[in-house]
């Protein structure tokens, strides 16, 4: 009986921790979309072996020349100070090409 209680407690705590991470990820992702002024339409997040990668999908008509601007004006400021600040992310155009990433330099 005690073992079942402990197992149930561990499951509840595990689900709660995952839920908190998921909700925080959603909030940060929607902040990026709001900062982009319509240039980023969606995002997804995947975690594998402790490594999280966030993929942002640019709107139609957004291409390579827009990537650095969106990285520096929309994505990086929205993620700054969040739990996702140091996570890997990419911005894809409609063709699936990477047009910006967490490694995109933002100059002075």
């Amino acid at each position: 009986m005690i073992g079942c209680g402990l197992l149930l407690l561990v499951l509840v705590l595990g689900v709660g921790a995952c839920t908190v991470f998921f909700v925080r990820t959603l909030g940060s992702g929607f902040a990026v979309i709001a900062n982009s002024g319509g240039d980023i339409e969606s995002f997804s997040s995947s975690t594998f072996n402790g490594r999280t990668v966030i993929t942002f999908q640019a709107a139609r008509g957004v291409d390579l020349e827009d990537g650095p601007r969106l990285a520096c004006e929309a994505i990086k400021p929205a993620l700054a100070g969040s739990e996702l600040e140091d996570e890997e992310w990419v911005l894809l155009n409609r063709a699936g090409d990477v047009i910006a990433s967490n490694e995109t330099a933002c100059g002075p």
Side-chain angles (χ1 to χ4, degrees):
M1 190 77 151
I2 293 174
C4 288
L6 286 174
L7 179 62
L8 183 60
L9 180 63
V10 169
L11 285 172
V12 168
L13 290 176
V15 168
C18 289
T19 301
V20 168
F21 178 75
F22 182 70
V23 168
R24 288 182 178 173
T25 301
L26 279 177
S28 297
F30 286 126
V32 168
I33 291 172
N35 277 359
S36 76
D39 287 339
I40 298 174
E41 292 185 338
S42 64
F43 71 96
S44 63
S45 174
S46 60
T47 301
F48 184 71
N49 287 338
R51 182 174 153 233
T52 300
V53 178
I54 305 159
T55 303
F56 295 101
Q57 181 66 56
R60 187 173 308 281
V62 175
D63 214 348
L64 185 60
E65 63 274 1
D66 302 306
R69 175 185 59 83
L70 288 170
C72 298
E73 295 177 7
I75 300 173
K76 288 184 178 187
L79 296 182
S82 77
E83 66 285 340
L84 300 178
E85 181 175 26
D86 296 325
E87 299 296 341
E88 182 178 343
W89 57 265
V90 294
L91 174 62
L92 305 178
N93 64 7
R94 287 296 182 156
D97 302 321
V98 175
I99 60 173
S101 74
N102 56 297
E103 296 178 359
T104 299
C106 296

